[in-house]
Amino acid sequence: MSRTTPPQARKVFGRRLGRPLKPSQERLIETLLPRLELDSSMPQLDPAAVFPEAGEIWLEIGFGGGEHLAWQATENPGVGFLGAEIFLNGIAGLLREIETQELANIRIWREDARLLLDALPQACLDRVFILFPDPWPKLRHHKRRIVQRETLDRLAQVMKPGAELRLATDDASYLPWMVERLSRHPAFRWLAERPADWRDRPADWPQTRYEAKALAAGRKPAYLRYRRRG
């Protein structure tokens, strides 16, 4: 979909809310989230205006419980982070990390990440993460997967030349899906030179609770790194 596609024309897949929020989570949603939430009603969003002192802008699409995003924000205080997530329980988890660690370099997008991509200017992102997205394993649901040619086209527009795209999955059917679509896309170059480059998690890529559960269940994740061609 293009920038002119109205928000109501988009279908959002995935849960908005899981188990009922605890009082402490509700407090964060009511008090902290309004200070950090990006305005999804605006047709355009300039990350440089959101983070005027940031040296780079990184985006995580579907940040889950927020552990990875909070870790990266802690390790990279000079980077401005945009986090897109519709799951309210996950947003509450990230807010807890932000409050506990007093992080000032994260802003949250509560709507479909594709709407955020539509609102961003060209060549504004230095790194993008899509880690363990919903695999939508049923064949009839594959169209719901976030890694599609349309999404990659939009990412190619908003990522700077030389920017890095990181993806991860523990789903045996999603891995070849990702590799095939990215290999076909002229804007992205796979950085792997040997099997260990995608089998082993890099040192600056922290493990999350979801990944730990996948490993405990016998599912071996793959870690993919791509470069936006110049």
Side-chain angles (χ1 to χ4, degrees):
M1 293 188 183
S2 68
R3 284 179 176 268
T4 58
T5 303
Q8 62 269 24
R10 289 197 185 266
K11 249 185 181 177
V12 178
F13 302 110
R15 296 183 300 164
R16 290 267 185 187
L17 182 65
R19 65 185 64 180
L21 297 177
K22 299 176 182 178
S24 60
Q25 294 175 313
E26 291 181 346
R27 176 185 61 81
L28 291 170
I29 295 295
E30 293 173 1
T31 61
L32 183 54
L33 180 59
R35 291 159 35 199
L36 302 179
E37 184 177 2
L38 298 166
D39 186 356
S40 60
S41 68
M42 299 293 289
Q44 292 187 328
L45 172 68
D46 183 6
V50 177
F51 298 107
E53 298 182 2
E56 295 186 357
I57 303 295
W58 296 4
L59 164 66
E60 182 163 352
I61 295 176
F63 56 73
E67 305 132 285
H68 174 270
L69 182 52
W71 187 94
Q72 293 289 356
T74 301
E75 295 294 313
N76 301 279
V79 174
F81 287 85
L82 307 176
E85 180 60 68
I86 66 169
F87 189 48
L88 196 59
N89 302 70
I91 293 172
L94 176 62
L95 292 173
R96 183 179 62 249
E97 297 286 346
I98 291 173
E99 182 180 61
T100 301
Q101 302 183 48
E102 299 182 347
L103 300 174
N105 56 337
I106 298 177
R107 296 295 181 270
I108 298 172
W109 180 271
R110 286 184 61 186
E111 296 299 328
D112 190 323
R114 295 170 298 174
L115 296 176
L116 175 57
L117 296 180
D118 284 348
L120 291 174
Q122 292 191 4
C124 66
L125 299 179
D126 298 273
R127 186 172 295 185
V128 177
F129 305 93
I130 306 177
L131 308 182
F132 301 100
D134 193 325
W136 295 106
K138 294 182 179 179
L139 183 61
R140 67 177 184 273
H141 291 159
H142 281 185
K143 61 186 177 182
R144 301 182 180 182
R145 290 175 167 177
I146 186 66
V147 180
Q148 305 279 358
R149 176 62 187 238
E150 177 190 19
T151 308
L152 296 177
D153 286 344
R154 190 70 195 109
L155 283 172
Q157 291 180 315
V158 300
M159 293 175 66
K160 296 178 181 179
E164 186 175 334
L165 173 61
R166 292 189 175 189
L167 308 98
T169 184
D170 62 315
D171 186 89
S173 70
Y174 210 169
L175 175 58
W177 173 285
M178 288 179 174
V179 172
E180 179 182 2
R181 276 148 187 80
L182 278 153
S183 297
R184 289 179 178 177
H185 202 289
F188 296 98
R189 177 176 63 88
W190 197 6
L191 297 179
E193 297 180 350
R194 56 189 185 278
D197 291 338
W198 58 269
R199 290 175 178 169
D200 299 335
R201 180 166 41 81
D204 63 343
W205 191 327
Q207 187 182 74
T208 63
R209 283 174 292 178
Y210 177 86
E211 182 182 349
K213 290 179 180 178
L215 289 167
R219 300 190 303 273
K220 183 67 174 73
Y223 312 92
L224 308 178
R225 298 172 60 231
Y226 287 82
R227 184 77 68 201
R228 171 69 170 91
R229 297 182 187 271

